[in-house]
Amino acid sequence: MKKGLVLEGGAMRGLWTAGVTDVMMEHNIWPDGLIGVSAGAAFGCNYKSRQIGRAIRYNTRFAKDPRYSGWKSLLKSGDYFNAEFGYHVVPYEYDIFDTETFEKDPLEFTIVCTDVETGAAVYHQMDHVDYDELEWLRASASMPLASKVVEVQGHKLLDGGVSDSIPLEYYEQQGYDRNVVILTQPLGYQKEHNKLMPLMRLALRKYPRFLKALDERHLMYNQELEYVAEAERQGRCLVIRPDGPIPIGHLSHDPQQMRLVYDMGRKVGERYIDRIKEFYNKE
């Protein structure tokens, strides 16, 4: 049996997920693998490096720092979240990423991105830390319109959530047959068609296949919700969801709001901890 952890994205809603996963680490729950999409990857990497509290710590510290994110960064560089500062300065100078633990830890860590030329998902296993590997993380969390296309190792990439928002089916195909799935939307949520498609078509007109994936993303997402629900009914996965909509926007700069969302995730994590242990350990 291979125990997996599947983390969907959701921009700053990912801090709710970080609250859940920090509680899991505090209770010494160590799956065999983790697959993360967008914020699920950007914050989920701290599971492999075993750094409890790191995601909420650096996000609140730099929430209002123009070097980290903001419209000035978007206008100047094309990235709302400053690529160089956020992914290549903070982890080495301000909130040190434990690369040694990350590389020694046996957990298999997989990042989901979307290839803008094909519109298809790209699954990248990250087992060491260098400039390119951190670019894979950045690419997974690079939202259309808020980010430039990320070019790394022959790929042109953006947000993994465009092509595979909840990669449970993919992970099962890789042999992970006991999965905890952490979602960032409550039960009953259904994604609607993206209202920004006219702007997307203008900004990303060079990538018609990516635009098609964007245009059909709500269909893909809702189908994946059905897949997760069926897997849950069959006992193949344990799903952890927020009790209601998470009260934070995609681009929040409010440290108190971030902390509130993180603490909400921690409370749900504490509520589920015994169920997670039982689920992972059952025969």
Side-chain angles (χ1 to χ4, degrees):
M1 179 189 75
K2 290 180 71 174
K3 298 179 291 185
L5 181 59
V6 179
L7 307 182
E8 83 157 311
M12 298 311 292
R13 294 197 308 274
L15 290 174
W16 181 91
T17 301
V20 178
T21 55
D22 278 355
V23 169
M24 291 174 65
M25 286 192 281
E26 288 167 1
H27 285 264
N28 287 309
I29 295 175
W30 306 108
D32 300 305
L34 184 159
I35 186 166
V37 182
S38 193
F43 300 159
C45 64
N46 297 299
Y47 212 117
K48 185 170 169 63
S49 66
R50 302 197 174 199
Q51 289 178 276
I52 298 167
R54 183 172 179 269
I56 186 61
R57 188 171 60 239
Y58 72 75
N59 274 284
T60 52
R61 177 179 178 181
F62 295 107
K64 297 181 182 294
D65 192 324
R67 293 175 300 171
Y68 186 64
S69 64
W71 296 109
K72 185 177 179 181
S73 174
L74 180 64
L75 293 172
K76 185 177 179 180
S77 70
D79 290 298
Y80 188 88
F81 291 94
N82 186 292
E84 190 64 26
F85 186 77
Y87 287 89
H88 303 290
V89 175
V90 170
Y92 291 105
E93 297 183 19
Y94 292 101
D95 200 311
I96 308 301
F97 187 61
D98 189 343
T99 58
E100 182 178 1
T101 297
F102 182 94
E103 292 175 356
K104 288 181 178 179
D105 192 272
L107 179 143
E108 293 182 351
F109 178 65
T110 303
I111 301 165
V112 184
C113 301
T114 303
D115 188 310
V116 297
E117 294 183 317
T118 66
V122 179
Y123 305 93
H124 177 77
Q125 188 168 321
M126 179 179 173
D127 56 13
H128 66 283
V129 181
D130 60 20
Y131 192 94
D132 277 356
E133 295 302 303
L134 292 173
E135 287 291 274
W136 278 98
L137 270 184
R138 178 167 79 91
S140 182
S142 291
M143 297 179 292
L145 299 183
S147 310
K148 291 185 302 185
V149 171
V150 180
E151 298 191 32
V152 56
Q153 296 176 341
H155 296 276
K156 294 182 179 181
L157 306 167
L158 280 174
D159 184 0
V162 173
S163 54
D164 194 353
S165 297
I166 313 169
L168 174 62
E169 183 175 10
Y170 171 82
Y171 225 32
E172 289 182 332
Q173 291 170 353
Q174 305 313 300
Y176 286 90
D177 49 8
R178 189 69 57 81
N179 292 291
V180 171
V181 180
I182 303 182
L183 304 180
T184 58
Q185 295 287 5
L187 185 65
Y189 173 81
Q190 290 281 288
K191 185 175 286 293
E192 297 180 353
H193 186 256
N194 193 328
K195 296 178 181 178
L196 295 177
M197 278 308 301
L199 193 55
M200 299 276 193
R201 289 190 178 95
L202 179 64
L204 295 159
R205 57 189 178 277
K206 292 196 299 183
Y207 306 111
R209 293 179 179 176
F210 183 71
L211 284 172
K212 184 175 187 295
L214 275 170
D215 198 32
E216 297 175 353
R217 183 182 181 183
H218 62 299
L219 302 175
M220 174 272 296
Y221 184 89
N222 295 335
Q223 287 172 356
E224 291 195 333
L225 283 178
E226 292 179 9
Y227 186 91
V228 170
E230 181 59 27
E232 185 178 26
R233 283 191 291 270
Q234 294 180 8
R236 302 201 317 268
C237 71
L238 173 65
V239 182
I240 303 174
R241 306 172 177 85
D243 297 324
I246 297 173
I248 195 167
H250 278 64
L251 306 176
S252 174
H253 293 275
D254 185 341
Q256 291 183 328
Q257 189 180 41
M258 293 176 183
R259 174 62 66 173
L260 170 66
V261 165
Y262 172 79
D263 287 343
M264 289 172 64
R266 287 191 59 88
K267 288 179 181 177
V268 172
E270 291 285 3
R271 199 171 77 215
Y272 270 84
I273 205 69
D274 290 337
R275 292 176 61 186
I276 297 170
K277 290 178 180 178
E278 180 183 2
F279 177 76
Y280 273 154
N281 293 326
K282 71 182 181 180
E283 296 297 329

